[in-house]
Amino acid sequence: MAQCEQFTTAVDAVVSRMRALDAALPERDGVAVFNRVYLTVTEAVDRHIDGGRFPDAGAAITLDVRFAERYLTAVERAEDERRPPACWRPLFQMRRHPGVRPLQFALAGINAHIGHDLALSVVDACRSLGCEPAELEDEFDRVGDLLVSLEERIREDLMPGPDLLQIADPLTHLLGSWSLERARDATWTAARALWALRRLPDVAEEFTERLDAAVGLAGRMLLTPLPD
């Protein structure tokens, strides 16, 4: 019972922090756009956990919380004028650019969080739980499946309507170059590689830095300003 309460408290804490951000940030701010998306995702994951959709609820919550904490830490670093990870910098730098559409902000945040943070969060969770990545694969896949379904809805909700065809064509072309499913597959490979490298800290650090930079480059492309 005490462990269940501890898990619930940890989830409630990250959800509360995201709700506070949602209340504090201007609606059009790029970080606010992603935060709303991620809050929806986190609440959906929690409902699935409560509904027994995850065989190992403790492992799922540990992964969920470690994952959310990496995003929230990046926000805190930006607010304190410290450099966040490279994967997040494009979103923080472009968050108020009038030429960037809400869908671009949402997917750039998803790119940073899935492409970089999720791989490191798998390793964080394995260390906390004393397990191998393979033992978290079911939880990883269930979270990934939920993210894919939500991404489809996000694209539908945030895609410009037919009255904005002058930007819809370049937007469709730009966003068609990125796939959450491919990013998720690459993330699982990266997580396994980082776990294998845990006894080679110098190599693991270099691998993490290169992953961070590569994901940041993809995010910068997703945030290419488009004409009005």
Side-chain angles (χ1 to χ4, degrees), residues 21 25 28-36 71 75 91-92 95 105:
L21 277 173
L25 294 173
R28 185 61 178 76
D29 181 282
V31 177
V33 172
F34 170 72
N35 189 77
R36 287 194 295 273
Y71 156 63
V75 173
L91 179 59
F92 290 118
R95 63 193 294 178
F105 288 133

Coordinates of all heavy atoms in Angstrom, one line a residue, residues 21 25 28-36 71 75 91-92 95 105:
L21 N 2.2 25.0 -15.3 CA 2.8 25.6 -16.5 C 1.7 26.0 -17.5 O 1.7 27.1 -18.1 CB 3.7 24.6 -17.2 CG 5.1 24.5 -16.7 CD1 5.8 23.3 -17.4 CD2 5.9 25.8 -17.0
L25 N 1.6 30.0 -18.8 CA 2.1 30.3 -20.1 C 1.0 30.9 -21.0 O -0.1 30.4 -21.0 CB 2.8 29.1 -20.7 CG 4.0 28.6 -20.0 CD1 4.5 27.3 -20.7 CD2 5.2 29.6 -20.1
R28 N -0.4 30.9 -26.9 CA 0.2 30.7 -28.2 C 1.7 30.4 -28.1 O 2.4 30.1 -29.1 CB 0.1 32.0 -29.0 CG 0.6 32.0 -30.5 CD -0.1 31.0 -31.3 NE 0.4 31.0 -32.7 CZ 1.6 30.6 -33.1 NH1 2.4 30.0 -32.2 NH2 2.0 30.6 -34.4
D29 N 2.3 30.5 -26.9 CA 3.7 30.2 -26.6 C 3.9 28.7 -27.0 O 3.2 27.8 -26.8 CB 3.9 30.3 -25.1 CG 5.4 30.1 -24.7 OD1 5.7 28.9 -24.7 OD2 6.1 31.0 -24.5
G30 N 5.1 28.5 -27.7 CA 5.4 27.2 -28.3 C 5.5 26.1 -27.2 O 5.1 25.0 -27.4
V31 N 6.1 26.5 -26.1 CA 6.2 25.5 -25.0 C 4.9 25.2 -24.4 O 4.6 24.1 -24.0 CB 7.2 26.1 -23.9 CG1 7.2 25.1 -22.7 CG2 8.6 26.3 -24.4
A32 N 4.0 26.2 -24.3 CA 2.6 26.0 -23.8 C 1.9 25.0 -24.8 O 1.1 24.2 -24.3 CB 1.8 27.3 -23.8
V33 N 2.1 25.1 -26.1 CA 1.4 24.2 -27.0 C 1.8 22.8 -26.7 O 1.0 21.9 -26.6 CB 1.7 24.6 -28.5 CG1 1.2 23.6 -29.4 CG2 1.2 26.0 -28.8
F34 N 3.2 22.6 -26.6 CA 3.6 21.2 -26.3 C 3.2 20.8 -25.0 O 2.8 19.6 -24.8 CB 5.2 21.1 -26.4 CG 5.7 19.8 -25.9 CD1 5.5 18.6 -26.6 CD2 6.3 19.7 -24.6 CE1 5.9 17.4 -26.1 CE2 6.7 18.5 -24.1 CZ 6.5 17.4 -24.8
N35 N 3.2 21.6 -24.0 CA 2.9 21.3 -22.6 C 1.4 20.8 -22.6 O 1.1 19.8 -21.9 CB 3.0 22.5 -21.7 CG 2.9 22.1 -20.2 OD1 3.7 21.5 -19.6 ND2 1.7 22.4 -19.7
R36 N 0.5 21.4 -23.3 CA -0.9 20.9 -23.3 C -1.0 19.5 -23.9 O -1.7 18.7 -23.4 CB -1.8 21.9 -24.2 CG -2.0 23.2 -23.5 CD -3.2 24.0 -24.1 NE -2.8 24.4 -25.5 CZ -2.2 25.6 -25.8 NH1 -1.8 26.4 -24.8 NH2 -1.9 25.9 -27.0
Y71 N 11.6 16.4 -19.1 CA 11.0 17.6 -19.7 C 10.9 18.7 -18.8 O 11.3 19.9 -19.1 CB 9.6 17.2 -20.3 CG 8.7 18.4 -20.5 CD1 9.0 19.4 -21.4 CD2 7.5 18.5 -19.7 CE1 8.1 20.5 -21.5 CE2 6.6 19.6 -19.8 CZ 7.0 20.6 -20.7 OH 6.1 21.7 -20.9
V75 N 12.5 22.6 -18.8 CA 11.8 23.9 -18.7 C 12.4 24.7 -17.6 O 12.6 25.9 -17.7 CB 10.3 23.6 -18.4 CG1 9.5 24.9 -18.0 CG2 9.6 22.9 -19.6
L91 N 13.0 24.6 -29.6 CA 11.6 24.9 -29.1 C 11.7 26.2 -28.2 O 10.9 27.1 -28.4 CB 11.0 23.8 -28.4 CG 9.6 24.0 -27.8 CD1 8.6 24.4 -28.9 CD2 9.1 22.8 -27.1
F92 N 12.6 26.2 -27.3 CA 12.7 27.4 -26.4 C 13.1 28.6 -27.2 O 12.7 29.7 -26.9 CB 13.7 27.1 -25.3 CG 13.2 26.1 -24.3 CD1 13.8 24.9 -24.0 CD2 12.0 26.3 -23.6 CE1 13.3 24.0 -23.1 CE2 11.5 25.4 -22.7 CZ 12.2 24.2 -22.5
R95 N 9.9 29.7 -29.6 CA 8.6 29.5 -28.9 C 7.7 30.7 -29.2 O 6.5 30.5 -29.2 CB 8.8 29.4 -27.4 CG 9.4 30.5 -26.7 CD 9.9 30.2 -25.3 NE 8.8 30.0 -24.4 CZ 8.9 29.6 -23.1 NH1 10.2 29.5 -22.6 NH2 7.9 29.4 -22.4
F105 N 5.2 23.4 -33.2 CA 5.6 23.4 -31.8 C 5.4 22.1 -31.1 O 6.2 21.5 -30.4 CB 4.9 24.5 -31.0 CG 5.4 25.9 -31.4 CD1 4.4 26.9 -31.6 CD2 6.7 26.3 -31.4 CE1 4.8 28.2 -31.9 CE2 7.1 27.6 -31.7 CZ 6.1 28.5 -32.0

